[in-house]
PDB file of all heavy atoms in Angstrom:
ATOM      1  N   GLU A 401      28.925   7.970  39.891  1.00  0.00           N
ATOM      2  CA  GLU A 401      28.357   9.211  39.569  1.00  0.00           C
ATOM      3  C   GLU A 401      27.813   9.129  38.109  1.00  0.00           C
ATOM      4  O   GLU A 401      28.282   9.892  37.254  1.00  0.00           O
ATOM      5  CB  GLU A 401      29.378  10.353  39.693  1.00  0.00           C
ATOM      6  CG  GLU A 401      30.015  10.404  41.044  1.00  0.00           C
ATOM      7  CD  GLU A 401      29.010  10.793  42.227  1.00  0.00           C
ATOM      8  OE1 GLU A 401      27.829  11.054  41.895  1.00  0.00           O
ATOM      9  OE2 GLU A 401      29.426  10.685  43.428  1.00  0.00           O
ATOM     10  N   GLN A 402      26.908   8.323  37.912  1.00  0.00           N
ATOM     11  CA  GLN A 402      26.471   7.958  36.586  1.00  0.00           C
ATOM     12  C   GLN A 402      26.037   9.117  35.650  1.00  0.00           C
ATOM     13  O   GLN A 402      26.167   9.012  34.558  1.00  0.00           O
ATOM     14  CB  GLN A 402      25.435   6.866  36.722  1.00  0.00           C
ATOM     15  CG  GLN A 402      24.074   6.956  36.078  1.00  0.00           C
ATOM     16  CD  GLN A 402      23.234   8.120  36.548  1.00  0.00           C
ATOM     17  OE1 GLN A 402      23.130   8.527  37.706  1.00  0.00           O
ATOM     18  NE2 GLN A 402      22.670   8.760  35.617  1.00  0.00           N
ATOM     19  N   HIS A 403      25.513  10.166  36.296  1.00  0.00           N
ATOM     20  CA  HIS A 403      24.908  11.179  35.447  1.00  0.00           C
ATOM     21  C   HIS A 403      25.876  11.873  34.589  1.00  0.00           C
ATOM     22  O   HIS A 403      25.496  12.589  33.644  1.00  0.00           O
ATOM     23  CB  HIS A 403      24.117  12.137  36.262  1.00  0.00           C
ATOM     24  CG  HIS A 403      24.867  13.063  37.204  1.00  0.00           C
ATOM     25  ND1 HIS A 403      25.384  12.625  38.327  1.00  0.00           N
ATOM     26  CD2 HIS A 403      25.314  14.319  36.947  1.00  0.00           C
ATOM     27  CE1 HIS A 403      26.054  13.678  38.960  1.00  0.00           C
ATOM     28  NE2 HIS A 403      26.075  14.635  38.101  1.00  0.00           N
ATOM     29  N   ARG A 404      27.139  11.690  34.709  1.00  0.00           N
ATOM     30  CA  ARG A 404      28.125  12.240  33.778  1.00  0.00           C
ATOM     31  C   ARG A 404      28.377  11.397  32.667  1.00  0.00           C
ATOM     32  O   ARG A 404      28.997  11.844  31.662  1.00  0.00           O
ATOM     33  CB  ARG A 404      29.437  12.428  34.532  1.00  0.00           C
ATOM     34  CG  ARG A 404      29.428  13.484  35.640  1.00  0.00           C
ATOM     35  CD  ARG A 404      29.361  14.883  35.088  1.00  0.00           C
ATOM     36  NE  ARG A 404      29.431  15.910  36.029  1.00  0.00           N
ATOM     37  CZ  ARG A 404      30.515  16.509  36.459  1.00  0.00           C
ATOM     38  NH1 ARG A 404      31.706  16.102  35.936  1.00  0.00           N
ATOM     39  NH2 ARG A 404      30.527  17.400  37.358  1.00  0.00           N
ATOM     40  N   PHE A 405      27.879  10.283  32.579  1.00  0.00           N
ATOM     41  CA  PHE A 405      28.051   9.426  31.416  1.00  0.00           C
ATOM     42  C   PHE A 405      26.872   9.318  30.489  1.00  0.00           C
ATOM     43  O   PHE A 405      25.761   9.322  31.048  1.00  0.00           O
ATOM     44  CB  PHE A 405      28.377   7.947  31.899  1.00  0.00           C
ATOM     45  CG  PHE A 405      29.770   7.774  32.495  1.00  0.00           C
ATOM     46  CD1 PHE A 405      29.937   7.659  33.853  1.00  0.00           C
ATOM     47  CD2 PHE A 405      30.866   7.839  31.656  1.00  0.00           C
ATOM     48  CE1 PHE A 405      31.123   7.543  34.379  1.00  0.00           C
ATOM     49  CE2 PHE A 405      32.129   7.746  32.206  1.00  0.00           C
ATOM     50  CZ  PHE A 405      32.275   7.594  33.623  1.00  0.00           C
ATOM     51  N   GLY A 406      27.127   9.207  29.237  1.00  0.00           N
ATOM     52  CA  GLY A 406      26.038   9.130  28.310  1.00  0.00           C
ATOM     53  C   GLY A 406      25.572   7.687  28.117  1.00  0.00           C
ATOM     54  O   GLY A 406      26.311   6.744  28.521  1.00  0.00           O
ATOM     55  N   VAL A 407      24.405   7.573  27.530  1.00  0.00           N
ATOM     56  CA  VAL A 407      23.861   6.253  27.416  1.00  0.00           C
ATOM     57  C   VAL A 407      24.709   5.324  26.503  1.00  0.00           C
ATOM     58  O   VAL A 407      24.947   4.134  26.907  1.00  0.00           O
ATOM     59  CB  VAL A 407      22.437   6.352  26.680  1.00  0.00           C
ATOM     60  CG1 VAL A 407      21.945   5.161  26.163  1.00  0.00           C
ATOM     61  CG2 VAL A 407      21.466   7.034  27.677  1.00  0.00           C
ATOM     62  N   GLU A 408      25.209   5.857  25.428  1.00  0.00           N
ATOM     63  CA  GLU A 408      25.993   5.056  24.487  1.00  0.00           C
ATOM     64  C   GLU A 408      27.292   4.494  25.162  1.00  0.00           C
ATOM     65  O   GLU A 408      27.705   3.420  24.977  1.00  0.00           O
ATOM     66  CB  GLU A 408      26.279   5.791  23.236  1.00  0.00           C
ATOM     67  CG  GLU A 408      25.137   6.170  22.381  1.00  0.00           C
ATOM     68  CD  GLU A 408      24.397   7.385  22.968  1.00  0.00           C
ATOM     69  OE1 GLU A 408      24.948   8.027  23.858  1.00  0.00           O
ATOM     70  OE2 GLU A 408      23.253   7.605  22.533  1.00  0.00           O
ATOM     71  N   GLN A 409      27.808   5.356  25.986  1.00  0.00           N
ATOM     72  CA  GLN A 409      29.074   4.960  26.709  1.00  0.00           C
ATOM     73  C   GLN A 409      28.857   3.816  27.621  1.00  0.00           C
ATOM     74  O   GLN A 409      29.580   2.832  27.627  1.00  0.00           O
ATOM     75  CB  GLN A 409      29.571   6.161  27.510  1.00  0.00           C
ATOM     76  CG  GLN A 409      30.113   7.237  26.569  1.00  0.00           C
ATOM     77  CD  GLN A 409      30.727   8.433  27.449  1.00  0.00           C
ATOM     78  OE1 GLN A 409      30.056   8.880  28.323  1.00  0.00           O
ATOM     79  NE2 GLN A 409      31.867   8.837  27.143  1.00  0.00           N
ATOM     80  N   ARG A 410      27.756   3.866  28.314  1.00  0.00           N
ATOM     81  CA  ARG A 410      27.388   2.739  29.194  1.00  0.00           C
ATOM     82  C   ARG A 410      27.323   1.386  28.414  1.00  0.00           C
ATOM     83  O   ARG A 410      27.650   0.404  28.902  1.00  0.00           O
ATOM     84  CB  ARG A 410      26.132   3.035  29.967  1.00  0.00           C
ATOM     85  CG  ARG A 410      26.446   3.421  31.444  1.00  0.00           C
ATOM     86  CD  ARG A 410      25.158   3.692  32.077  1.00  0.00           C
ATOM     87  NE  ARG A 410      24.793   5.173  31.909  1.00  0.00           N
ATOM     88  CZ  ARG A 410      23.595   5.568  31.751  1.00  0.00           C
ATOM     89  NH1 ARG A 410      22.541   4.682  31.771  1.00  0.00           N
ATOM     90  NH2 ARG A 410      23.338   6.826  31.551  1.00  0.00           N
ATOM     91  N   ALA A 411      26.607   1.526  27.311  1.00  0.00           N
ATOM     92  CA  ALA A 411      26.353   0.352  26.492  1.00  0.00           C
ATOM     93  C   ALA A 411      27.619  -0.411  26.064  1.00  0.00           C
ATOM     94  O   ALA A 411      27.690  -1.555  25.984  1.00  0.00           O
ATOM     95  CB  ALA A 411      25.597   0.701  25.252  1.00  0.00           C
ATOM     96  N   LYS A 412      28.749   0.368  26.021  1.00  0.00           N
ATOM     97  CA  LYS A 412      30.027  -0.177  25.594  1.00  0.00           C
ATOM     98  C   LYS A 412      30.566  -1.224  26.623  1.00  0.00           C
ATOM     99  O   LYS A 412      31.317  -2.135  26.228  1.00  0.00           O
ATOM    100  CB  LYS A 412      31.026   0.846  25.339  1.00  0.00           C
ATOM    101  CG  LYS A 412      30.771   1.663  24.153  1.00  0.00           C
ATOM    102  CD  LYS A 412      32.031   2.366  23.751  1.00  0.00           C
ATOM    103  CE  LYS A 412      31.763   3.279  22.532  1.00  0.00           C
ATOM    104  NZ  LYS A 412      32.619   4.326  22.361  1.00  0.00           N
ATOM    105  N   LEU A 413      30.240  -1.059  27.877  1.00  0.00           N
ATOM    106  CA  LEU A 413      30.723  -1.955  28.883  1.00  0.00           C
ATOM    107  C   LEU A 413      30.195  -3.373  28.644  1.00  0.00           C
ATOM    108  O   LEU A 413      30.899  -4.372  29.044  1.00  0.00           O
ATOM    109  CB  LEU A 413      30.158  -1.499  30.237  1.00  0.00           C
ATOM    110  CG  LEU A 413      30.978  -0.344  30.928  1.00  0.00           C
ATOM    111  CD1 LEU A 413      30.247   0.040  32.140  1.00  0.00           C
ATOM    112  CD2 LEU A 413      32.353  -0.830  31.207  1.00  0.00           C
ATOM    113  N   TRP A 414      29.075  -3.503  28.059  1.00  0.00           N
ATOM    114  CA  TRP A 414      28.478  -4.784  27.752  1.00  0.00           C
ATOM    115  C   TRP A 414      29.389  -5.643  26.900  1.00  0.00           C
ATOM    116  O   TRP A 414      29.365  -6.849  26.985  1.00  0.00           O
ATOM    117  CB  TRP A 414      27.195  -4.602  27.040  1.00  0.00           C
ATOM    118  CG  TRP A 414      26.067  -4.297  28.042  1.00  0.00           C
ATOM    119  CD1 TRP A 414      25.988  -3.232  28.807  1.00  0.00           C
ATOM    120  CD2 TRP A 414      24.976  -5.191  28.326  1.00  0.00           C
ATOM    121  NE1 TRP A 414      24.860  -3.303  29.572  1.00  0.00           N
ATOM    122  CE2 TRP A 414      24.210  -4.483  29.342  1.00  0.00           C
ATOM    123  CE3 TRP A 414      24.571  -6.400  27.832  1.00  0.00           C
ATOM    124  CZ2 TRP A 414      23.085  -5.068  29.798  1.00  0.00           C
ATOM    125  CZ3 TRP A 414      23.426  -6.946  28.393  1.00  0.00           C
ATOM    126  CH2 TRP A 414      22.690  -6.236  29.321  1.00  0.00           C
ATOM    127  N   GLN A 415      30.146  -4.985  26.016  1.00  0.00           N
ATOM    128  CA  GLN A 415      30.875  -5.837  25.034  1.00  0.00           C
ATOM    129  C   GLN A 415      32.275  -6.198  25.640  1.00  0.00           C
ATOM    130  O   GLN A 415      33.084  -6.733  24.884  1.00  0.00           O
ATOM    131  CB  GLN A 415      30.973  -4.991  23.816  1.00  0.00           C
ATOM    132  CG  GLN A 415      29.692  -4.958  23.041  1.00  0.00           C
ATOM    133  CD  GLN A 415      29.293  -3.570  22.668  1.00  0.00           C
ATOM    134  OE1 GLN A 415      30.099  -2.738  22.414  1.00  0.00           O
ATOM    135  NE2 GLN A 415      27.994  -3.298  22.656  1.00  0.00           N
ATOM    136  N   LYS A 416      32.452  -6.035  26.875  1.00  0.00           N
ATOM    137  CA  LYS A 416      33.776  -6.310  27.408  1.00  0.00           C
ATOM    138  C   LYS A 416      33.965  -7.785  27.822  1.00  0.00           C
ATOM    139  O   LYS A 416      34.960  -8.141  28.389  1.00  0.00           O
ATOM    140  CB  LYS A 416      34.067  -5.432  28.682  1.00  0.00           C
ATOM    141  CG  LYS A 416      34.227  -3.935  28.348  1.00  0.00           C
ATOM    142  CD  LYS A 416      35.520  -3.612  27.637  1.00  0.00           C
ATOM    143  CE  LYS A 416      35.530  -2.149  27.192  1.00  0.00           C
ATOM    144  NZ  LYS A 416      36.749  -1.877  26.445  1.00  0.00           N
ATOM    145  N   ASN A 417      32.921  -8.549  27.681  1.00  0.00           N
ATOM    146  CA  ASN A 417      33.033 -10.009  27.925  1.00  0.00           C
ATOM    147  C   ASN A 417      32.035 -10.701  27.076  1.00  0.00           C
ATOM    148  O   ASN A 417      31.188 -10.049  26.417  1.00  0.00           O
ATOM    149  CB  ASN A 417      32.794 -10.348  29.411  1.00  0.00           C
ATOM    150  CG  ASN A 417      33.558 -11.634  29.803  1.00  0.00           C
ATOM    151  OD1 ASN A 417      33.960 -12.355  28.972  1.00  0.00           O
ATOM    152  ND2 ASN A 417      33.678 -11.772  31.078  1.00  0.00           N
ATOM    153  N   ASP A 418      32.245 -12.028  26.829  1.00  0.00           N
ATOM    154  CA  ASP A 418      31.336 -12.766  26.034  1.00  0.00           C
ATOM    155  C   ASP A 418      29.878 -12.557  26.480  1.00  0.00           C
ATOM    156  O   ASP A 418      28.976 -12.351  25.668  1.00  0.00           O
ATOM    157  CB  ASP A 418      31.692 -14.249  25.981  1.00  0.00           C
ATOM    158  CG  ASP A 418      33.062 -14.468  25.558  1.00  0.00           C
ATOM    159  OD1 ASP A 418      33.556 -13.612  24.751  1.00  0.00           O
ATOM    160  OD2 ASP A 418      33.675 -15.503  25.938  1.00  0.00           O
ATOM    161  N   SER A 419      29.641 -12.797  27.763  1.00  0.00           N
ATOM    162  CA  SER A 419      28.430 -12.398  28.350  1.00  0.00           C
ATOM    163  C   SER A 419      28.560 -11.068  29.016  1.00  0.00           C
ATOM    164  O   SER A 419      29.634 -10.759  29.513  1.00  0.00           O
ATOM    165  CB  SER A 419      28.002 -13.430  29.437  1.00  0.00           C
ATOM    166  OG  SER A 419      27.492 -14.591  28.702  1.00  0.00           O
ATOM    167  N   PRO A 420      27.554 -10.290  29.080  1.00  0.00           N
ATOM    168  CA  PRO A 420      27.723  -8.992  29.702  1.00  0.00           C
ATOM    169  C   PRO A 420      27.995  -9.144  31.211  1.00  0.00           C
ATOM    170  O   PRO A 420      27.342  -9.964  31.878  1.00  0.00           O
ATOM    171  CB  PRO A 420      26.392  -8.316  29.406  1.00  0.00           C
ATOM    172  CG  PRO A 420      25.421  -9.422  29.164  1.00  0.00           C
ATOM    173  CD  PRO A 420      26.182 -10.485  28.564  1.00  0.00           C
TER     174      PRO A 420
END
Side-chain angles (χ1 to χ4, degrees):
E401 306 296 354
Q402 127 299 316
H403 66 280
R404 292 288 184 92
F405 287 106
V407 166
E408 294 78 11
Q409 289 179 312
R410 254 178 275 143
K412 288 195 180 155
L413 279 174
W414 277 65
Q415 286 128 33
K416 295 287 178 186
N417 207 344
D418 301 337
S419 280

